[in-house]
Structures are given as structure tokens and as C-alpha cells.
Amino acid sequence: KAGVTQTPRYLIKTRGQQVTLSCSPISGHRSVSWYQQTPGQGLQFLFEYFSETQRNKGNFPGRFSGRQFSNSRSEMNVSTLELGDSALYLCASSLSGGGTYEQYFGPGTRLTVT
Amino acid sequence: AQSVAQPEDQVNVAEGNPLTVKCTYSVSGNPYLFWYVQYPNRGLQFLLKYITGDNLVKGSYGFEAEFNKSQTSFHLKKPSALVSDSALYFCAVRDRAGNNRKLIWGLGTSLAVNP
């Protein structure tokens, strides 16, 4: 079974631009979560989607948004990029949101904002 | 409020010695508990989880963790450390009660195993 894939793997953007990151979950997985990872802050939860609905949301500004499609693929968008948005963005999928299911992570998208 | 604490930013251990990476949690109800590992330049990988039953849980790569309800802890252990165990370890908890089932993460503990 193919793992979680994320595209692009690396991205360099300028302040003020917007960016869209893509995540394809493991086949059959219906839940997709997004995280921001930075050296000092660890893993910061952005949001979780299940069956095209946002189930949970972290404490990020409205510039961060996401969506999930009917095939469970997910995208996240960051508008008006700031230098502080530079981070590794991780996507994770699981069979179902919540409960006992563990998450499977993609390799991440390394975003650099200059 | 739900929270997870990994009290040590870094743990150093000699190869062949036992290792422990600590995790304590606070949730309003009973927890589901998870350990993940992130090797250098690789993605996060699931190691093990506690759902119910035996307090000692065995996982991948020879790791195990012990759930202690009275101490609200879920420490990760391995009897004999390998250099290849050097990585960043994350503890995570989910409250099984209520509608909010967000997974709460610790800040991570960097494990260095010295040859």
C-alpha cells in the first residue's frame, strides 16, 4: 500500500504570497490532519478533516485554511505569507478521525518564506 | 485543559544501556496514548499505543511503554539502546470522552545514543 504523499516537497515563497500544499492519504483512510513543525514549537496542530468536513481546528489565524475532497485528498492554503510561516508542514492520515487509530505521516513540505 | 508534557528536551544514553523517555499527560477523561518517532530527515512514524487492557504495551523496534493511571504517565522504554535509536520522540494523547477528540502532542524529546 502506498504511503501518504505530499507535494511539493520543497517550496520557497516571498512574503505576502500565498501557497497551496497537497496531501494524498493512504488508500482507504478518511481522516487527514495537518501539522506545522518548527524546531522550537514542536508539532502544532492545524486542522483535521474527515469525510470532507473539518472536524477539529488548531489555534492558527484565518490565513491558514484547508479542505478535503471526496477522494480524501486534502489541500491546505496559506495566504499572505509571513516569515514566521517558514516550517515543515506535515500531513497525516488515519482510518478514521479520533478514537484509537494511529496516524500515518507523509514526508512533509518544507516551506521557506523570504 | 488537555496537555502532554515531555519533561526532558534531551536524553543521552550509552549503547547497550536501558533507555527511558518520559511522558505525562492531563486529560479530563480516560486517555488513548501514543508514541511516535522521527528519525533524522525522515517522516514521523508510529511506534505504539495504549488503548485498554495490559498497562505494558509493546511496539516496533523493541520499544515498550507503561501506562500508569495513578501517575498519569506513559513512559517509553527499551531494555538495550542502539545507536540507530537516536531520534526525536513524541508522545501524544487523545481524550476518549466527549466530542473533542483532538490529538494533543508533547514537544518532543531528542534521544542520543552514544556508541
Side-chain angles (χ1 to χ4, degrees):
Chain A
K1 218 179 230 186
V4 178
T5 57
Q6 291 186 246
T7 56
R9 292 291 311 278
Y10 302 91
L11 207 50
I12 300 175
K13 289 286 188 178
T14 304
R15 267 183 307 174
Q17 288 186 315
Q18 74 164 15
V19 66
T20 298
L21 311 181
S22 181
C23 171
S24 292
I26 291 172
S27 178
H29 285 195
R30 297 168 64 192
S31 171
V32 172
S33 297
W34 287 90
Y35 296 90
Q36 182 193 66
Q37 186 177 20
T38 55
Q41 298 295 318
L43 277 172
Q44 300 292 311
F45 171 73
L46 280 155
F47 22 68
E48 177 193 1
Y49 286 88
F50 179 75
S51 292
E52 301 179 67
T53 300
Q54 188 180 86
R55 181 186 290 226
N56 277 304
K57 190 177 187 306
N59 298 321
F60 277 80
R63 300 185 296 107
F64 291 81
S65 63
R67 59 179 176 168
Q68 186 180 33
F69 301 96
S70 58
N71 61 358
S72 293
R73 191 177 68 86
S74 178
E75 289 181 348
M76 68 162 280
N77 183 277
V78 188
S79 62
T80 320
L81 283 165
E82 300 177 359
L83 294 178
D85 297 334
S86 295
L88 180 67
Y89 290 87
L90 293 168
C91 165
S93 76
S94 65
L95 272 170
S96 175
T100 65
Y101 297 106
E102 61 271 21
Q103 296 185 339
Y104 294 84
F105 285 80
T109 294
R110 174 75 63 185
L111 173 64
T112 302
V113 182
T114 61
Chain B
Q2 301 174 91
S3 64
V4 175
Q6 293 182 241
E8 300 156 318
D9 290 338
Q10 178 145 351
V11 170
N12 294 290
V13 64
E15 187 175 30
N17 283 0
L19 70 87
T20 298
V21 182
K22 296 180 181 177
C23 172
T24 59
Y25 65 89
S26 173
V27 297
S28 55
N30 291 314
Y32 298 128
L33 294 153
F34 303 82
W35 276 102
Y36 289 80
V37 60
Q38 187 173 35
Y39 296 104
N41 299 317
R42 289 167 60 181
L44 271 160
Q45 298 177 31
F46 167 74
L47 264 183
L48 51 78
K49 64 183 177 183
Y50 171 80
I51 303 303
T52 188
D54 193 349
N55 289 343
L56 185 64
V57 179
K58 294 188 184 297
S60 307
Y61 313 120
F63 284 93
E64 57 189 28
E66 186 168 12
F67 170 59
N68 188 316
K69 187 173 182 178
S70 63
Q71 297 187 2
T72 61
S73 67
F74 189 56
H75 300 333
L76 182 70
K77 300 180 180 183
K78 188 173 182 181
S80 178
L82 300 172
V83 172
S84 57
D85 293 329
S86 298
L88 189 56
Y89 291 81
F90 290 94
C91 179
V93 64
R94 179 182 283 124
D95 191 342
R96 67 177 74 192
N99 294 323
N100 183 358
R101 293 187 171 185
K102 191 163 54 176
L103 194 59
I104 308 298
W105 293 79
L107 292 180
T109 297
S110 179
L111 172 67
V113 181
N114 307 305

